[in-house]
Amino acid sequence: MKDKSSSILKTKRILVDIFQLNDDYRLGNSINVFCKALNTLHTLTIVNVTLCRTHWIVYLK
């Protein structure tokens, strides 16, 4: 099974349900992602938020 955190680190984006977007996903906020495979903690910054038909795409840097 593919680890969700490793896919976030590869694509640098998070898919969020259309009604689940809140103030945690503001531009400039930081998100911590822990990768179990590498046993590391990565801090990524939100740089863009885009609305698709059924979900939000949160782009990270």
Side-chain angles (χ1 to χ4, degrees):
M1 182 173 185
K2 193 171 185 180
D3 189 20
K4 185 177 179 179
S5 61
S6 63
S7 68
I8 291 172
L9 293 173
K10 275 185 188 177
T11 61
K12 300 287 192 213
R13 65 181 181 182
I14 300 173
L15 300 178
V16 180
D17 190 37
I18 195 161
F19 298 113
Q20 299 299 321
L21 193 74
N22 56 20
D23 287 339
D24 294 337
Y25 298 104
R26 280 187 168 177
L27 295 179
N29 280 359
S30 297
I31 292 179
N32 294 323
V33 178
F34 181 74
C35 183
K36 289 182 184 179
L38 301 173
N39 198 23
T40 56
L41 180 68
H42 299 274
T43 303
L44 302 170
T45 306
I46 298 172
V47 294
N48 195 4
V49 179
T50 305
L51 176 63
C52 288
R53 290 184 180 191
T54 60
H55 59 275
W56 293 92
I57 300 175
V58 178
Y59 293 97
L60 305 169
K61 178 179 176 187

